[in-house]
Amino acid sequence: MKVFHGTATYQGIAIGKIQYLRRNEQHIRQYTVESARREIRRFRKAKERALEALKFLYDKASLELGEEESKVFKSQISLLEAGSFTRAIEGMILSEKVNAAYAISTTRDELTKTFAKMEDEIIRNRVMDIKDISERLILIIEGISREDYADMEPVIVVANNLSPTEIMEMDQEKLLAFVSREGSPVSHTAIISKTLSIPSLIGIDVDPLWEDRMAIVDGYEGIFYLEPDEALLKKYERRRQEDLKEKEFLQKLRDKEDITLDGTRVKLFANIRSLEDLRSVQESGACGIGLLRSEFQYLGRENYPREIELFRAYKKVAETMGDKPVIIRTLDIGADKKAEYMDLPDEENPAMGNRGIRVCLERKRMFKAQLRAIYRASAYGNLAIMYPMVTSMSEIREVKEIVADVVDGLKKKEIPFKEIQHGIMVETPAAVMIAEDLAKEVDFLSLGTNDLTQYILAMDRKNPSLEGRYDDHHPAVLKMIQMTIDAAHKAGCWAGICGELAGDTSMTQTLLEMGVDVMSVVPPSILPVRKQIRKIILPNNVKSKPIEQ
Ligand code: PEP
Ligand code: MG
């Protein structure tokens, strides 16, 4: 038996035989063509066939998965229809008189190399799209049919990388799990695996020789067992059955209240990173969105988003959520999230550098556009705003002046908007220590325990060598959480937690005993946390302040 560790993108257990997908691994021969024009015609025909297939998959995904999940197919279609990608391929055929398959693979490699260094998820998804389209075009041109999934047995699908189109071409009933070397937890593939409730692991050093061997996928621990022994198989079969029962049970909690056994009501909200997460928020039965990470509209593009684009996205979220609160965090760019066009200088220690509210206060035009977009969208739902990385009173006062300016402008132009709540993310020790004063300026404080832990412990949250030592249960962290909650309540504010700690069910009782009013977690954690809340009896002295939204 061999054991591999990776990252799980959907939690679940799968046991079964491996099917290894050998695509994306074909060797492309280069040769000179007699007529470049004829080769371009051949390429265009392949493009037409690829487009037909993608349009079919788009319709299938729209019907079976939903609007958001089918967008990936739409973006591949537009990449093929109008993109500089196909122009680059045709240009190469024409200028170098090379065969189409070679021009496609070279263009693909050049583009993916350019983007490879970028950490941004949206760009990584774009790279996956380019790889997937290229593979489809090459197979058509070379006359090779795509893997035939028609009669597949239930299998664990293993590949270097997997694309959403491939998943849609498979019989999803027969998919036990996906395991791949490449990919990211927020890739389209991961999103689809969640939508289909199929366990999946990324970052596993896969090998074509595994074909037909038995394996176990543990999507809770992120472990892949190759050729497990009998005892482990038995153990995991039991866990699989329990897991299925638990998931069935959790589904029954979808429409239940977040209330403890002693009758204390808690607000359980969801954290989202893009509009694509909206569907899972609705399915999870969350009572609102406690953190909309607004970076998704600023990353993976060539220039600042326009106010109208921002507005449309916020309006969509507001309308989708209806009366339920949606807290939009203003742009938290900098540190690990960089947009080339912003031209933020490289920093030696970016986590301690120019990020969050600091960048927004420096680039007021950009900040105002976002605030105006949020205010305009507020007319369509129940929106609130919160500000990341605040460390001083002067920052929040400056923010309030800018907000007042924006509101004034809207009034003058008679643009409708609603009064909205404002909050501060408490994610630095400085903010904790002045929380009482900060709280007087706003309606709520929301603890960002991911950054707060990093800054309290002086441990980079992304440094893998600190794994096991970066500890958000550390007494210093818990003490600061308590201080923040008390400070918020003293000032008449509500207090929330939107860092990962809120989704840690081993901490639910502790956090509620501390008096937290709102917990905001990733959509898959909503039901497990709700289950936990409903089991808890709080001591009499805990006074949770009901949130007024
Ligand atoms: C946090 O720091 O806890 C937080 C919620 O913000 P992010 O993870 O986006 O930095
Ligand atoms: Mg943070």
Side-chain angles (χ1 to χ4, degrees):
M1 174 171 82
K2 275 192 175 165
V3 183
F4 298 81
H5 293 264
T7 305
T9 63
Y10 176 77
Q11 298 186 324
I13 308 282
I15 304 172
K17 270 196 180 167
I18 291 171
Q19 176 163 346
Y20 188 89
L21 296 192
R22 267 184 196 76
R23 0 78 59 222
N24 266 346
E25 289 159 34
Q26 64 280 59
H27 178 69
I28 309 295
R29 215 163 41 89
Q30 175 190 4
Y31 58 89
T32 310
V33 292
E34 254 176 50
S35 159
R37 299 250 163 239
R38 200 181 311 137
E39 195 63 7
I40 287 179
R41 276 200 298 278
R42 222 156 76 82
F43 168 68
R44 287 187 181 164
K45 262 196 193 141
K47 190 175 110 176
E48 284 313 311
R49 280 187 53 198
L51 276 171
E52 254 171 50
L54 284 170
K55 283 176 185 162
F56 170 78
L57 288 172
Y58 172 70
D59 291 341
K60 187 169 182 243
S62 314
L63 270 176
E64 293 173 12
L65 297 179
E67 197 192 332
E68 282 310 313
E69 287 77 2
S70 60
K71 270 191 179 158
V72 54
F73 303 100
K74 212 173 194 170
S75 93
Q76 288 201 4
I77 290 169
S78 58
L79 216 125
L80 256 187
E81 271 176 341
S84 47
F85 175 59
T86 53
R87 272 200 305 278
I89 295 168
E90 292 191 7
M92 186 171 177
I93 299 173
L94 203 58
S95 61
E96 297 182 32
K97 284 191 113 188
V98 288
N99 52 318
Y102 180 75
I104 295 166
S105 70
T106 311
T107 310
R108 170 198 66 195
D109 293 347
E110 278 167 7
L111 283 173
T112 49
K113 211 152 98 201
T114 314
F115 291 136
K117 287 184 228 101
M118 300 192 190
E119 290 218 339
D120 173 46
E121 293 303 339
I122 296 167
I123 294 182
R124 282 207 217 157
N125 277 335
R126 210 68 184 148
V127 170
M128 286 288 282
D129 284 345
I130 291 171
K131 282 187 180 171
D132 195 36
I133 290 176
S134 307
E135 136 112 2
R136 184 176 294 280
L137 288 168
I138 291 170
L139 290 181
I140 295 173
I141 281 175
E142 302 280 273
I144 306 166
S145 54
R146 263 199 155 185
E147 209 126 351
D148 189 3
Y149 303 120
D151 299 318
M152 68 191 260
E153 292 294 308
V155 280
I156 295 173
V157 172
V158 172
N160 244 334
N161 61 53
L162 258 162
S163 69
T165 49
E166 268 165 329
I167 297 173
M168 287 313 293
E169 280 168 337
M170 294 173 192
D171 178 353
Q172 286 124 33
E173 297 286 305
K174 309 268 178 63
L175 275 174
L176 301 176
F178 316 126
V179 176
S180 66
R181 187 192 307 269
E182 297 171 15
S184 88
V186 286
S187 63
H188 290 304
T189 310
I191 291 164
I192 289 182
S193 89
K194 270 187 227 160
T195 311
L196 297 170
S197 305
I198 297 173
S200 86
L201 295 182
I202 53 172
I204 302 285
D205 200 7
V206 299
D207 187 331
L209 297 175
W210 292 353
E211 178 84 25
D212 271 344
R213 298 196 196 167
M214 274 303 282
I216 297 173
V217 172
D218 180 341
Y220 286 93
E221 303 298 331
I223 304 178
F224 179 76
Y225 297 94
L226 182 68
E227 301 192 307
D229 56 39
E230 273 306 311
L232 198 71
L233 274 171
K234 269 199 186 130
K235 183 179 141 196
Y236 266 97
E237 186 46 41
R238 268 198 309 276
R239 277 200 58 190
R240 200 177 69 84
Q241 297 294 347
E242 283 162 17
D243 183 53
L244 291 175
K245 259 194 221 145
E246 174 71 5
K247 282 190 175 135
E248 237 169 71
F249 173 77
L250 286 177
Q251 278 311 312
K252 293 191 184 131
L253 296 179
R254 266 198 56 182
D255 303 315
K256 294 272 192 276
E257 281 184 301
D258 297 304
I259 184 164
T260 59
L261 281 179
D262 58 279
T264 308
R265 279 173 208 283
V266 186
K267 293 275 178 185
L268 188 53
F269 290 175
N271 291 350
I272 66 169
R273 304 170 70 115
S274 72
L275 299 190
E276 284 170 4
D277 290 340
L278 273 177
R279 186 185 158 110
S280 49
V281 171
Q282 285 174 301
E283 280 171 4
S284 72
C287 322
I289 292 172
L291 166 62
L292 188 162
R293 290 182 163 99
S294 65
E295 293 75 56
F296 73 98
Q297 281 178 297
Y298 294 80
L299 298 170
R301 52 185 299 145
E302 281 162 18
N303 214 332
Y304 290 98
R306 288 175 306 140
E307 184 183 319
I308 184 78
E309 285 176 63
L310 299 168
F311 163 71
R312 281 198 194 115
Y314 303 149
K315 177 171 178 262
K316 163 115 196 194
V317 182
E319 284 176 338
T320 308
M321 296 302 289
D323 291 341
K324 294 178 176 172
V326 175
I327 303 174
I328 301 176
R329 174 178 75 185
T330 55
L331 183 63
D332 187 9
I333 209 97
D336 56 324
K337 297 174 213 137
K338 285 256 169 84
E340 293 274 306
Y341 62 87
M342 284 195 192
D343 213 15
L344 290 166
D346 281 341
E347 297 172 305
E348 238 176 66
N349 197 348
M352 303 225 177
N354 202 10
R355 60 169 291 197
I357 201 68
R358 300 168 192 173
V359 176
C360 288
L361 290 177
E362 216 180 73
R363 299 182 188 218
K364 294 206 177 62
R365 247 183 86 189
M366 171 191 85
F367 190 36
K368 277 189 173 175
Q370 183 174 30
L371 291 171
R372 252 194 320 268
I374 299 175
Y375 262 96
R376 284 172 57 193
S378 70
Y380 299 88
N382 183 5
L383 298 187
I385 310 182
M386 71 178 171
Y387 307 99
M389 290 296 294
V390 170
T391 52
S392 72
M393 293 300 291
S394 60
E395 280 169 343
I396 195 64
R397 287 195 183 122
E398 199 179 344
V399 165
K400 285 176 81 174
E401 275 169 29
I402 296 171
V403 169
D405 217 35
V406 164
V407 167
D408 246 23
L410 292 173
K411 278 185 187 156
K412 274 190 196 129
K413 288 192 179 155
E414 295 184 8
I415 296 174
F417 63 88
K418 283 188 194 151
E419 282 307 317
I420 56 187
Q421 289 202 353
H422 293 261
I424 291 173
M425 281 193 78
V426 175
E427 45 188 350
T428 62
V432 175
M433 299 313 286
I434 58 166
E436 222 177 291
D437 292 327
L438 287 176
K440 286 180 194 146
E441 301 289 330
V442 287
D443 304 292
F444 65 93
L445 299 182
S446 183
L447 281 144
T449 48
N450 309 336
D451 276 317
L452 186 58
T453 306
Q454 134 165 294
Y455 296 125
I456 293 176
L457 301 181
M459 286 191 195
D460 182 351
R461 63 193 259 197
K462 293 207 141 187
N463 186 338
S465 67
L466 296 174
E467 218 179 288
R469 277 194 282 173
Y470 170 96
D471 173 18
D472 54 5
H473 294 194
H474 191 289
V477 176
L478 301 186
K479 213 166 179 175
M480 288 221 178
I481 292 175
Q482 184 70 74
M483 285 168 72
T484 307
I485 294 171
D486 292 345
H489 289 172
K490 197 162 168 203
C493 283
W494 58 266
I497 299 196
C498 61
E500 295 308 304
L501 191 64
D504 177 346
T505 49
S506 73
M507 288 299 289
T508 311
Q509 172 113 21
T510 310
L511 296 176
L512 293 185
E513 284 182 11
M514 286 177 165
V516 72
D517 309 292
V518 173
M519 296 204 280
S520 195
V521 302
V522 289
S525 297
I526 292 278
L527 295 177
V529 175
R530 176 167 296 156
K531 180 181 167 195
Q532 196 64 18
I533 291 172
R534 294 173 62 86
K535 283 201 292 203
I536 284 171
I537 301 179
L538 288 175
N540 285 334
N541 58 354
V542 176
K543 283 187 232 77
S544 199
K545 189 179 179 301
I547 129 168
E548 290 144 23
Q549 281 274 3

